[in-house]
Amino acid sequence: MSESSEPHRLPSARSAPTVPYASYLRVYEPLAAFREPERTHWADYARREARPTAQDELRRCLADLVGVPPVGVPAQESADAFTAELDGVLLVCPWRTRLRGWLALQELVAEGTGGGFPAPVLDAALPPAVRRRAAEDYARWRERHPDARPWIRTAVWQVPVRWFVLVDDEERDHVPGERLRYRTPMVQARRRLARGLRTLRRAEGHGALAEGLVEVGSWLEEFHPRSMVELDYGGLVHALPAERLAADRSAKDVALGLAALREGDAEAASETYGRLSERWRAVRERLFAN
């Protein structure tokens, strides 16, 4: 694959504060996968000189949340996207911020119901009336768009271990202070996921990771086979020490752990997975830091 084009930052983004906590799993689909008039919209969009970044999207969402009353989900769907050009083919990853907002709100409410998120804090940030209105809007929208799915998944203060199964250490792209990401063809991501899932199902004690891979695999099947998958550390590159990022080889560790399981070396697999889990546990603990 050839190098992709990088989105241009808007002038205002250069001086804006960095939002450090989110990482992303994205799918970029070829332009041909989109129907008209959306196909023409994205073709025109890709020719713009200035396009917003993931940081811009996060800042907009945070600004909505601090308003009175707070806006849990945007009133209109985003017309923005990330784009890349690979081997002369334009690839597009729509933001779909409104859809992702609804899905994130569902997850947040579920966590609160299960005791994982304090109800008083949830009510203060997003009052019940705001959540109820968003849920009603989503139900009506879902009736008209039953097959809709997001092109972007977001994780907070971590990169989920299951995401690393999709990529290879050789695909690691690290520019200190700027980015750490992996990009791989969809066919490779699906192949690695299927192989990893077979390995985990043969072993014992890895049911949770296997279930996570099944769910990610079902999501990937919704996209064009000539798509590209991107695992992006996002704002974490601004939150973690440079030396830790430089030494981070999480994709390689996952591959080593799965290889050990295939060879029947459960002890080596457990040691590798434990090292990986500890690394990301230390990152997640930053969620609770002042």
Side-chain angles (χ1 to χ4, degrees):
M1 294 189 296
S2 62
E3 281 296 316
S4 68
S5 59
E6 292 295 328
H8 297 276
R9 289 183 177 274
L10 295 176
S12 60
R14 294 194 181 100
S15 58
T18 300
V19 183
Y21 55 78
S23 64
Y24 307 92
L25 186 65
R26 304 187 183 103
V27 173
Y28 291 71
E29 287 196 282
L31 192 61
F34 297 88
R35 297 179 179 179
E36 293 291 1
E38 191 173 14
R39 184 184 302 176
T40 297
H41 167 75
W42 294 132
D44 293 339
Y45 182 89
R47 288 191 286 268
R48 298 180 185 178
E49 291 188 2
R51 298 189 297 277
T53 69
Q55 286 285 307
D56 295 307
E57 183 193 32
L58 271 173
R59 293 187 194 104
R60 293 174 188 174
C61 293
L62 291 175
D64 286 342
L65 288 175
V66 299
V68 181
V71 178
V73 178
Q76 301 295 326
E77 187 54 274
S78 172
D80 290 307
F82 300 107
T83 64
E85 187 173 316
L86 297 174
D87 300 328
V89 176
L90 176 64
L91 303 177
V92 181
C93 176
W95 283 10
R96 292 294 193 271
T97 305
R98 193 179 193 215
L99 172 58
R100 288 162 54 216
W102 277 322
L103 296 176
L105 186 57
Q106 280 189 331
E107 183 177 346
L108 187 65
V109 171
E111 289 179 355
T113 303
F117 199 88
V121 177
L122 179 60
D123 290 343
L126 288 169
V130 173
R131 303 200 304 269
R132 183 169 56 252
R133 184 165 57 251
E136 292 169 351
D137 290 344
Y138 179 55
R140 288 191 294 268
W141 183 90
R142 198 71 190 183
E143 290 180 357
R144 302 191 302 274
H145 306 87
D147 299 323
R149 78 283 195 250
W151 278 256
I152 305 173
R153 293 187 162 211
T154 304
V156 178
W157 285 117
Q158 64 171 317
V159 179
V161 170
R162 60 186 176 275
W163 290 4
F164 289 110
V165 176
L166 309 178
V167 298
D168 184 82
D169 185 65
E170 293 185 357
E171 295 162 341
R172 186 176 183 271
D173 174 15
H174 181 211
V175 179
E178 183 177 337
R179 68 171 181 262
L180 200 171
R181 71 186 181 193
Y182 299 79
R183 285 178 164 181
T184 192
M186 176 65 78
V187 64
Q188 288 280 26
R190 289 175 177 170
R191 184 178 296 124
R192 290 167 183 150
L193 186 147
R195 189 182 188 199
L197 188 57
R198 287 195 300 269
T199 299
L200 291 169
R201 282 174 168 169
R202 293 193 191 106
E204 295 182 358
H206 301 280
L209 183 54
E211 289 178 8
L213 281 183
V214 169
E215 197 268 336
V216 171
S218 297
W219 177 63
L220 292 181
E221 287 297 328
E222 298 289 329
F223 298 99
H224 194 283
R226 294 187 181 274
S227 299
M228 177 183 73
V229 177
E230 177 183 73
L231 190 165
D232 183 4
Y233 277 49
L236 292 179
V237 299
H238 305 291
L240 302 180
E243 61 274 11
R244 180 179 296 183
L245 289 170
D248 187 296
R249 287 295 190 278
S250 292
K252 184 176 182 180
D253 286 341
V254 168
L256 289 173
L258 289 173
L261 283 178
R262 280 192 292 270
E263 295 169 1
D265 191 344
E267 183 177 348
S270 178
E271 180 181 339
T272 300
Y273 186 73
R275 183 171 61 247
L276 185 67
S277 298
E278 181 59 33
R279 179 186 307 153
W280 286 104
R281 184 181 301 113
V283 177
R284 287 194 298 274
E285 288 174 352
R286 290 172 176 258
L287 171 64
F288 306 103
N290 290 331

